Structures are given as C-alpha cells and as structure tokens.
Amino acid sequence: MNDFSISLGVKVFESEGDRVISGSLAIGGFSEDFYASLSYWHRDNYLYQWREGLGRLLSGKRHSAVVTTMYNPSKSNFIFWWVMYLIGDNVHIQNHVLLFEELERPFDEADLYSFIPVRETQTEEGDPISEWVVSISAIKRCIDSL
C-alpha cells in the first residue's frame, strides 16, 4: 500500500506578504509542496495538529484531517487541509479548502474535526474527486516519524 508522509521545514521566509514555512506532503508517487502560513499558527501548532489528526485515525475515528495552512478564523475566510476517511484498514485522503462562508455555523478551531464534510467521490457535475488511498499502517509510520 502507498506510503504517506507530511513534513515541515524550519526556515521562515516571506511569500506574498505572509511569513511562511515550506512543507511537503507525499502519498505514494504523488507529492505536493505547500507554504504553511505563520500569521496565526507557529510551526509547533502544525506539528501538534498533525500528530493529533493522524492519531485520531489510529484510535479508530472514522474521519480526520491535517491542516496545511491555518489563518486566524476571525480575519480570514478559509483554511487548507487534507481530509481523511478511515474505511476498513484504508485511509482515503482528499485535498480540501474549507470555506468559512459555506459553513452552517461559525468555524471553531477547538472543534476543528466537526467541520470535515461527508466523503464524496464525485463533484456535482459527476466528475471524480481526486482521492488517494493508503493503509492505516502508512499513517502509523508517518506519525512515528513526526
């Protein structure tokens, strides 16, 4: 089964007027680099949330997420995250942008996981939603490396 990893560098720099740190997420042969904003969370906040989010899956929670860019919810209208759905011994992973204006209630960072949408595999137009599948053991290996 595919491997899963997520990492965050240490060098802080500026991108488009925001202090950021570079990160990388890899699922099997797919990889994506990203900039994690430091305008609201610090590096340790991301690492803590990743351990927590991945740990939820290991404890049997059916859905979770890792946040790759968190902004101050009172000053922003979105975050970037990868949502994860545990189905059997496999984790289905999708890249999402959580738009606060589309929520039925105000976003609450303390209740982050309650905002994970129901898993869908097609858009409203019937196109497939990009999704990667890894084993729960790949998640365990990732959390052990964080």
Side-chain angles (χ1 to χ4, degrees):
M1 190 68 52
N2 291 331
D3 283 329
F4 175 82
S5 66
I6 187 167
S7 61
L8 200 55
V10 294
K11 183 179 178 185
V12 177
F13 58 97
E14 188 172 315
S15 175
E16 298 181 21
D18 193 8
R19 289 180 57 247
V20 299
I21 194 166
S22 63
S24 180
L25 180 135
I27 309 169
F30 170 82
S31 66
E32 178 173 284
D33 295 330
F34 59 89
Y35 293 148
S37 173
L38 299 176
S39 64
Y40 183 63
W41 274 7
H42 300 285
R43 182 178 188 273
D44 288 344
N45 296 103
Y46 287 102
L47 296 175
Y48 175 86
Q49 191 280 316
W50 296 350
R51 285 185 200 100
E52 177 185 70
L54 297 173
R56 286 171 50 86
L57 297 170
L58 295 178
S59 69
K61 300 285 186 202
R62 294 290 170 209
H63 62 273
S64 195
V66 290
V67 175
T68 53
T69 298
M70 173 63 86
Y71 297 107
N72 184 336
S74 67
K75 297 179 180 180
S76 182
N77 57 357
F78 66 94
I79 63 170
F80 294 115
W81 61 351
W82 289 79
V83 296
M84 304 174 169
Y85 305 93
L86 180 62
I87 301 172
D89 289 333
N90 293 322
V91 179
H92 298 249
I93 304 169
Q94 299 177 357
N95 190 0
H96 282 247
V97 177
L98 180 64
L99 300 171
F100 298 156
E101 65 189 24
E102 294 180 0
L103 300 176
E104 295 178 6
R105 59 188 166 89
F107 178 74
D108 179 2
E109 178 184 347
D111 194 19
L112 179 76
Y113 305 105
S114 71
F115 294 95
I116 294 172
V118 172
R119 178 175 171 252
E120 295 185 13
T121 58
Q122 294 182 9
T123 64
E124 290 178 4
E125 294 79 27
D127 296 321
I129 293 174
S130 295
E131 181 174 85
W132 294 263
V133 181
V134 300
S135 66
I136 192 68
S137 60
I139 300 298
K140 171 131 180 44
R141 286 190 301 275
C142 179
I143 199 170
D144 288 344
S145 72
L146 284 176

